[in-house]
Amino acid sequence: MSFRICNYGRTREIPYRGKPIFLQRGTPVETDDPKLAAECRKYPYIEVERIEKKK
């Protein structure tokens, strides 16, 4: 399962597992980490959607 994280607010860093994850405004980031996706959902102006990768 993969996720697409998109930040619609200002560019920011999200603390995750002791290091910052940089989310630039309007630039989607894909991840296979469901815990990172869940953490990002906590922040305003960040949208997380589940996606299916093409094989």
Side-chain angles (χ1 to χ4, degrees), residues 12 23 30 34 43-44 50:
R12 66 169 81 187
L23 296 177
E30 291 188 12
Y43 292 88
R50 191 182 317 188

Side-chain angles (χ1 to χ4, degrees), residues 3-9 12 14 23-24 26-31 36-51:
F3 300 90
R4 181 176 296 125
I5 302 168
C6 192
N7 176 18
Y8 294 104
R12 66 169 81 187
I14 304 294
L23 296 177
Q24 187 172 356
T27 304
V29 175
E30 291 188 12
T31 182
L36 174 58
E39 185 65 27
C40 288
R41 279 190 175 103
K42 297 177 184 178
Y43 292 88
Y45 308 112
I46 294 179
E47 181 179 283
V48 178
E49 65 178 310
R50 191 182 317 188
I51 59 171

Side-chain angles (χ1 to χ4, degrees), residues 1-3 9 16-17 22-23 33 35 38 42-43 51:
M1 178 176 1
S2 295
F3 300 90
Y16 181 67
R17 293 188 176 178
F22 183 75
L23 296 177
D33 186 345
K35 290 182 182 181
K42 297 177 184 178
Y43 292 88
I51 59 171

